Amino acid sequence: MTAKTTAAGVPYDVQGEMSDSERRDAAMRGFVREFGAVAAAHLESCVRCGMCAEACHFYISTGEPAYTPINKLQPFEQAYHRHAGPFAPIYRLLGIVPSVTIETLEEWERLIFDACTLCGRCTLACPMGIDIADLIKKARHGMFKAGLVPDRLQLMDRTARAWGSPATPADDFADIIRDTGEQFGVTMNIDLEKADYLLTVAPAELTDHTKALADAAKVFNKAGLSWTYHTEGFEASNIGYLNGDIDLQETMTRKIIDTAVRIGAHTLVLPECGHAYGAARWEAGRWYGDKLPVRIIHMTEFLQEVVASRKIKLNRVGQSASFHDPCQLVRRGGVMQAPRDVLKALGFEIKELENHGALSWCCGGGGGVVSNSRADPIRYKAFELKQREVDAAGADRFVTACGQCRITLTLGAKHFKWDRKVENLLELVADNLAD
Amino acid sequence: MQRSQTLGEILDSRGVSRRAFLKYASYVSALMALPAGSAAAMAEGLAAARRQSVIWLSFQECTGCTESLTRSFSPTLESLIFDFISLDYHHTLQAASGEAAEKARETAMAENKGKYIVVVDGAVSTKDGGLYSTIAGVANVDMLRASVKDALAVIAVGTCAAFGGIPKARPNPTGAAPVDEIVTDKPVINIPGCPPIPEAMAGVISYLVSFGKLPELDDLRRPKAFFGETIHDRCYRRPFYERGLFADGFDDAGARQGYCLYKVGCKGPVTYNSCATLKWNGGVSFPIQSGHGCLGCSEPDFWDQGGFYRPLSTSLRDLGPALAGAAVAGAALGAGAAWASRRHQAAYVKEQAASEGGKK
Amino acid sequence: MTLLDFARGPALQAALIIFVLGAVWRIVGALTAPWRLVPANPREGALSPAVAALKGVFVKMWPHKPFQQAGLFTFVNGYVFHFGLAIVVLLFTPHILFIKGLTGLNWPGLPSNLIYMVAVITGASLIAGLVHRLRSPVLQLISRNDDYLSWLLTFLPVVTGLLATSHLGARYETLLALHILSICAFLIWFPFGKLMHAFLFVFSRGMTGVRMGQRGAEL
Ligand code: SF4
Ligand code: SF4
Ligand code: SF4
């Protein structure tokens, strides 16, 4: 792994031993795999109207034209026209569309990884209905093959491959669960042979935020459900989904789903993590088809279910709260009402942010950006958009339902010495369980 | 009639009043939009003019032009003017025939060297040496060349002479050509129309005789005075065109309302002529007024515009089958391209598998 | 052969053939590629794919609230010239006759004076769009030659059409010929550049509609 800069001073990292041309070819092959009718319909339709720029927090907060979403796809688009479009044979023959150069790829690493959180706000803005966020994710597959990924993400990839989780070796998982149970005085279920619910976790919960593990257990216990954590399938955050490592994405997805099936669970509950939802709920179909062997829900949906079915009762907090909508859960995931229902059950008066629901601003850290320190300056820029809206809404509490969002927002608050605490919905529920 | 007499003297002796003559001159000047004062000058010029020697050649034609000029109105000043030009040679009208006639032509040419006018109606056959149309054994094209040698100017009367007209319509078996393709070293005035408007013909000759020079012409050598505006510019149905009110057929409600005839093929918008203002038969009517669109008869190749009833804005060709073919070919090419891309993509991915396998 | 005959005859024929061939080629070529749509177990109560696709096509006709202000010019101006072009192309009687000649379809037109007005507005709107493109740093960055060529070839028929109907600059038949030739150029370029969005937007919007629809997410 080496950090370099292009002639123009743009930083990029490279991994693996490859010549420039091998690297470029590897990227092209990675891109080429993604080209089909769906990518075609999108890549053929752009009218260069620039509307997508107006949606992207990185463009809005910096005014930097390079952050225009469709611009982030430039090499991917070029590869499409050269290798897969309806006129590709002619373009190649006449050299109308040249091959993408290694320099372009190096330069675009920053735009594809640092400057995109895969938040999908641009997709909502594009009048042609181009799913730019999805295309950028596809472009990452090629970049990964070429070893053109930010080192920080690559590091997590390696760890996840070796340990089964970017946070901790799988061997330690059971211990962490037991210790946490003891620490918080909660009965934990680990590695049960049979359970109705398989509960999964996100990396931060295994290090700094172990309370979330206990909170989840607390709610499940209270609801009187049959559930378990399981060493063979516990890590739901899917680094492969973020950094373009499609093989790792498959491994991570299969681990949790197959484990759920093995222990006879009818439901796989994902932790408060947006990308976990995107990867397991909406992309498991890559390997399982459109009939998933197990029901997959997000923690927020689970909370809504147990509240609605009165399996748990909640104390009313009686304050006002603003909710930060995690992109992968709400905009890209379609879970918009559930968190609000739970907040209402907690007796909160909801003071919506100016941009909320599907149109909410991204926290600025999704898509691996929060783990990629190179992107810190623009991440803080993007954070300011959120900060302004939260201040304007003036609610007592500021709540979200994604650990990554919470970390990003907390880092932002620290950076700007902003005295707002960011809370997770699960924690609020667990802390306010009524008898 | 003596050749030395001036036109004025002849008119006097015929009992045509000075006033009537001036009136005619004003009429012609007005028609030709000549500047104020031209009427008097023209009257003077005409009165003083000697009888103009004219050689009238008729080639591949139908005699409609001559009919239009001689029969369309009862004796008027125009017809008198024609009486007083010295029509030294005219197939249809002259009394003499055979060798005598050809002799008369040669005599006129010799006597009026450099001053006579050649009027041509009909297109000139050029194919195979012009043998498809001959007079007294002489091909039209040769006769034309010989006749114009010492002419002052040539007037091509009617669309056949001006642009080739119907003889030149596809497939043009006789190689018919317009006069100005053959005559390149003498001034040629085109007065097209099928047939041309008599006033245009008379006006041009009057102008030529009284001022001794050519009137202003457009790029198709047509006198701007008569061919400066389109039929559409002056059409009385134009307000309907602007309001989007069109006849869809010749007997529908729109037709009865007198709506614009664009949809039934009127070529008025691209036809330069004076029909809409001068009209025909002494100003009685013109085609659009009697319910039929303009055929565009004073324009080149009006016969080959894909049909008189085909609206102006449509393609000249029947494209259905060609477009269906294009769609099928497009689909095949598209599917082919997709197939080629699939193979290209597969080859790429395979290469990768191979190189990865190699590394392991 | 006069210029007008050339325009109405071989030029139009060639242009239409290229247009149909190229457009079908591109659409078929794009859509017969392997789909590679990630299958997903739809959310309970999610829209059926057909409904979601349709919804995608329609919802995208107007921007979501947060984008309305920044995108106001783009959207409003876009609508002005798209509607303008549609009105001029589809409701001017000579154009209807042209389409009727090709397809046999027929419908009533609007008064010509109204069409001239709309065409003037359309032309002005296109110019405004170009100025916007030249002045916006974002658009400068993402614009390609295609964008300028497509603009020009859309603008020319509007201008030549206006000149022809108002007899400005040259004789009517010359202007009419130029108008038809400018349309030929437009038709020839159409399948190869961004003008194709006129057909492809349906598929692009529809596919996003399906993807988001099955998730129960907003479009
Ligand atoms: S997905 Fe989000 S971060 Fe990425 S380009 Fe689009 S708006 Fe910007
Ligand atoms: S909003 Fe859509 S059509 Fe417009 S430039 Fe961006 S990707 Fe292209
Ligand atoms: S009838 Fe012919 S000339 Fe008259 S307005 Fe209609 S199109 Fe023009």
Side-chain angles (χ1 to χ4, degrees):
Chain A
M1 295 190 205
T2 344
K4 297 187 174 184
T5 49
T6 65
V10 179
Y12 67 96
D13 297 337
V14 292
Q15 299 88 32
E17 293 302 318
M18 276 184 254
S19 72
D20 279 354
S21 69
E22 281 170 345
R23 204 177 284 288
R24 198 206 59 193
D25 288 350
M28 288 306 109
R29 286 194 290 269
F31 288 167
V32 152
R33 280 187 162 187
E34 302 298 329
F35 299 141
V38 176
H42 288 326
L43 291 170
E44 298 275 358
S45 311
C46 177
V47 291
R48 307 277 138 174
C49 67
M51 279 296 287
C52 47
E54 306 300 342
C56 181
H57 45 271
F58 289 129
Y59 169 73
I60 292 291
S61 63
T62 62
E64 174 61 61
Y67 296 150
T68 302
I70 196 68
N71 181 52
K72 298 170 190 172
L73 284 169
Q74 200 267 317
F76 189 65
E77 255 186 314
Q78 191 179 335
Y80 165 78
H81 290 299
R82 185 170 168 88
H83 294 292
F87 301 128
I90 294 173
Y91 289 163
R92 276 201 303 279
L93 198 71
L94 303 181
I96 293 174
V97 179
S99 302
V100 180
T101 63
I102 184 70
E103 288 79 16
T104 305
L105 292 169
E106 288 164 357
E107 194 184 333
W108 252 261
E109 182 187 304
R110 179 183 68 118
L111 295 177
I112 291 174
F113 287 100
D114 303 21
C116 179
T117 56
L118 305 179
C119 77
R121 204 163 184 266
C122 47
T123 302
L124 274 187
C126 174
M128 294 294 118
I130 298 170
D131 195 349
I132 308 160
D134 185 64
L135 294 172
I136 295 179
K137 193 148 68 57
K138 287 184 157 81
R140 288 185 177 187
H141 294 155
M143 297 297 276
F144 178 82
K145 293 273 181 222
L148 286 167
V149 175
D151 279 344
R152 288 302 194 93
L153 296 187
Q154 188 57 23
L155 207 62
M156 290 167 71
D157 185 273
R158 277 205 196 167
T159 320
R161 276 175 178 253
W163 287 352
S165 159
T168 194
D171 298 343
D172 296 352
F173 179 67
D175 290 340
I176 294 175
I177 294 296
R178 277 185 213 105
D179 291 352
T180 306
E182 271 163 36
Q183 185 189 345
F184 293 97
V186 181
T187 314
M188 288 290 193
N189 299 339
I190 175 83
D191 296 342
L192 299 188
E193 293 288 323
K194 279 259 165 282
D196 292 341
Y197 290 85
L198 174 66
L199 194 47
T200 54
V201 309
E205 299 173 352
L206 298 173
T207 52
D208 299 342
H209 294 282
T210 47
K211 177 166 184 286
L213 303 173
D215 287 341
K218 227 167 121 184
V219 177
F220 270 93
N221 291 341
K222 188 80 182 177
L225 300 169
S226 141
W227 67 279
T228 187
Y229 286 120
H230 209 290
T231 309
E232 275 158 38
F234 66 94
E235 177 60 81
S237 86
N238 196 322
I239 176 71
Y241 176 81
L242 305 180
N243 72 346
D245 185 352
I246 190 84
D247 299 332
L248 178 62
Q249 183 181 336
E250 176 177 2
T251 311
M252 302 298 281
T253 303
R254 283 193 187 279
K255 262 190 198 163
I256 53 176
I257 292 183
D258 292 350
T259 305
V261 170
R262 186 148 8 87
I263 65 170
H266 58 59
T267 302
L268 167 60
V269 181
L270 301 169
E272 285 192 306
C273 170
H275 295 96
Y277 194 63
R281 178 66 182 91
W282 299 120
E283 289 211 351
R286 281 179 186 271
W287 304 284
Y288 294 91
D290 60 5
K291 293 273 171 289
L292 297 178
V294 55
R295 188 169 77 111
I296 301 176
I297 59 174
H298 190 264
M299 178 59 77
T300 308
E301 292 173 288
F302 169 77
L303 293 176
Q304 181 201 33
E305 266 180 35
V306 287
V307 166
S309 62
R310 313 193 64 80
K311 287 206 168 69
I312 58 168
K313 286 191 209 69
L314 299 175
N315 296 322
R316 297 181 67 81
V317 180
Q319 281 179 311
S320 60
S322 289
F323 184 71
H324 162 73
D325 294 272
C327 306
Q328 299 301 319
L329 183 64
V330 180
R331 175 159 45 241
R332 303 291 290 176
V335 181
M336 155 118 174
Q337 198 47 46
R340 289 169 171 77
D341 286 353
V342 176
L343 281 173
K344 274 184 210 141
L346 281 162
F348 283 109
E349 177 208 345
I350 299 175
K351 291 193 173 168
E352 294 287 13
L353 303 180
E354 189 192 331
N355 286 286
H356 60 271
L359 293 154
S360 161
W361 286 116
C362 175
C363 64
V369 170
V370 67
S371 317
N372 171 9
S373 50
R374 215 168 54 186
D376 285 356
I378 58 171
R379 176 162 60 74
Y380 288 133
K381 278 286 195 190
F383 169 80
E384 287 181 284
L385 297 173
K386 185 61 70 173
Q387 186 185 7
R388 237 171 279 144
E389 289 196 354
V390 174
D391 284 341
D396 302 321
R397 312 281 280 264
F398 182 34
V399 185
T400 190
C402 167
Q404 296 296 308
C405 292
R406 190 168 56 82
I407 292 170
T408 306
L409 294 170
T410 306
L411 285 172
K414 212 167 119 197
H415 181 83
F416 290 105
K417 307 198 169 47
W418 187 55
D419 61 349
R420 295 298 305 242
K421 189 175 160 224
V422 191
E423 301 174 87
N424 266 0
L425 196 58
L426 170 62
E427 185 170 16
L428 280 174
V429 168
D431 291 350
N432 292 287
L433 286 171
D435 295 317
Chain B
M1 265 184 268
Q2 285 195 320
R3 182 144 299 181
S4 58
Q5 269 184 304
T6 65
L7 211 47
E9 287 160 1
I10 296 168
L11 289 170
D12 269 351
S13 69
R14 287 261 180 136
V16 174
S17 76
R18 194 75 199 161
R19 236 181 103 245
F21 192 63
L22 197 63
K23 211 171 130 203
Y24 172 72
S26 319
Y27 171 62
V28 173
S29 339
L31 279 187
M32 300 185 69
L34 299 177
S38 309
M42 175 176 265
E44 235 160 74
L46 274 177
R50 302 270 144 198
R51 296 182 72 218
Q52 173 66 48
S53 167
V54 171
I55 293 172
W56 188 300
L57 303 172
S58 294
F59 298 148
Q60 298 190 105
E61 46 89 48
C62 67
T63 318
C65 297
T66 302
E67 292 285 335
S68 160
L69 290 164
T70 56
R71 296 273 181 92
S72 49
F73 28 0
S74 49
T76 62
L77 275 166
E78 287 99 316
S79 59
L80 282 178
I81 296 284
F82 278 104
D83 281 346
F84 301 119
I85 53 177
S86 168
L87 205 43
D88 292 319
Y89 177 88
H90 191 303
H91 287 161
T92 320
L93 303 180
Q94 70 198 357
S97 63
E99 279 169 23
E102 296 310 312
K103 188 105 189 94
R105 183 171 62 84
E106 276 151 32
T107 312
M109 281 170 64
E111 280 178 10
N112 298 288
K113 199 164 174 185
K115 284 186 282 183
Y116 66 90
I117 294 173
V118 175
V119 176
V120 182
D121 66 339
V124 191
S125 164
T126 57
K127 200 168 158 196
D128 302 327
L131 63 81
Y132 300 102
S133 182
T134 61
I135 296 163
V138 182
N140 293 167
V141 61
D142 296 332
M143 185 181 284
L144 177 60
R145 283 203 184 101
S147 303
V148 302
K149 214 169 89 219
D150 297 312
L152 173 69
V154 182
I155 304 179
V157 171
T159 300
C160 299
F163 304 132
I166 292 166
K168 184 171 168 276
R170 275 195 299 269
N172 188 7
T174 67
V179 167
D180 62 7
E181 242 174 59
I182 315 290
V183 181
T184 49
D185 56 352
K186 291 279 180 281
V188 176
I189 304 172
N190 286 331
I191 306 178
C194 191
I197 298 180
E199 283 90 337
M201 172 79 206
V204 169
I205 291 184
S206 304
Y207 186 97
L208 204 57
V209 168
S210 46
F211 294 115
K213 61 173 185 182
L214 266 55
E216 210 190 331
L217 305 180
D218 71 3
D219 57 345
L220 292 174
R221 301 178 203 261
R222 297 179 293 199
K224 280 192 177 162
F226 298 100
F227 298 90
E229 286 175 311
T230 63
I231 303 299
H232 186 67
D233 286 335
R234 292 310 197 91
C235 178
Y236 75 103
R237 298 195 189 213
R238 179 70 179 266
F240 293 120
Y241 174 89
E242 300 298 348
R243 277 157 60 198
L245 298 173
F246 299 94
D248 279 305
F250 291 106
D251 55 357
D252 70 346
R256 280 191 286 277
Q257 295 289 317
Y259 288 171
C260 168
L261 301 167
Y262 190 94
K263 280 187 164 186
V264 286
C266 179
K267 302 296 182 296
V270 292
T271 304
Y272 291 81
N273 209 339
S274 305
C275 309
T277 43
L278 294 181
K279 305 198 180 171
W280 288 81
N281 299 329
V284 173
S285 181
F286 75 116
I288 290 172
Q289 195 172 342
S290 37
H292 194 287
C294 166
L295 303 184
C297 74
S298 57
E299 294 297 321
D301 299 327
F302 80 104
W303 199 262
D304 287 324
Q305 299 298 312
F308 293 148
Y309 305 102
R310 189 186 277 250
L312 188 60
S313 62
T314 55
S315 163
L316 285 182
R317 309 217 170 150
D318 231 344
L319 291 172
L323 294 187
V328 171
L333 283 166
W339 176 79
S341 284
R342 253 178 226 242
R343 284 186 37 140
H344 180 75
Q345 282 169 265
Y348 241 112
V349 174
K350 221 188 269 159
E351 233 177 273
Q352 175 188 35
S355 70
E356 274 177 6
K359 262 184 225 152
K360 278 173 203 163
Chain C
M1 190 186 288
T2 64
L3 193 63
L4 183 58
D5 294 346
F6 171 72
R8 288 177 70 200
L12 207 47
Q13 179 172 30
L16 279 165
I17 288 176
I18 293 174
F19 169 74
V20 170
L21 186 118
V24 174
W25 177 344
R26 184 147 164 205
I27 293 175
V28 170
L31 298 182
T32 55
W35 273 65
R36 301 199 207 283
L37 185 68
V38 174
N41 197 354
R43 179 181 300 288
E44 217 176 294
L47 299 175
S48 75
V51 175
L54 260 184
K55 190 174 165 203
V57 172
F58 285 102
V59 163
K60 290 287 173 189
M61 293 187 13
W62 198 246
H64 291 286
K65 206 161 151 275
F67 315 131
Q68 279 167 10
Q69 210 190 340
L72 191 67
F73 173 81
T74 307
F75 259 85
V76 172
N77 194 53
Y79 263 106
V80 170
F81 75 75
H82 276 86
F83 268 114
L85 289 171
I87 291 172
V88 173
V89 171
L90 299 177
L91 295 177
F92 185 44
T93 303
H95 297 163
I96 298 172
L97 292 173
F98 173 74
I99 298 169
K100 185 182 169 200
L102 287 178
T103 62
L105 301 174
N106 194 14
W107 57 86
L110 284 182
S112 311
N113 288 328
L114 198 71
I115 299 284
Y116 305 152
M117 244 171 57
V118 173
V120 169
I121 295 171
T122 307
S125 163
L126 282 168
I127 291 175
L130 181 68
V131 170
H132 179 62
R133 185 170 291 282
L134 291 170
R135 286 181 43 187
S136 149
V138 164
L139 294 182
Q140 278 302 289
L141 179 73
I142 63 177
S143 294
R144 301 164 292 196
N145 294 341
D146 172 15
D147 295 291
Y148 298 106
L149 184 59
S150 297
W151 181 89
L152 185 70
L153 296 180
T154 309
F155 186 65
L156 281 181
V158 177
V159 175
T160 53
L162 273 170
L163 289 180
T165 44
S166 53
H167 294 222
L168 279 177
R171 297 167 77 98
Y172 178 74
E173 66 275 18
T174 311
L175 292 168
L176 180 61
L178 291 177
H179 178 56
I180 296 176
L181 288 173
S182 71
I183 290 158
C184 292
F186 173 86
L187 288 172
I188 290 171
W189 176 241
F190 191 101
F192 306 102
K194 75 163 178 184
L195 296 170
M196 268 299 277
H197 76 274
F199 296 131
L200 293 168
F201 82 98
V202 180
F203 303 104
S204 177
R205 284 183 185 179
M207 285 173 186
T208 300
V210 171
R211 176 181 287 136
M212 291 301 146
Q214 69 192 1
R215 300 179 182 189
E218 244 180 80
L219 299 173

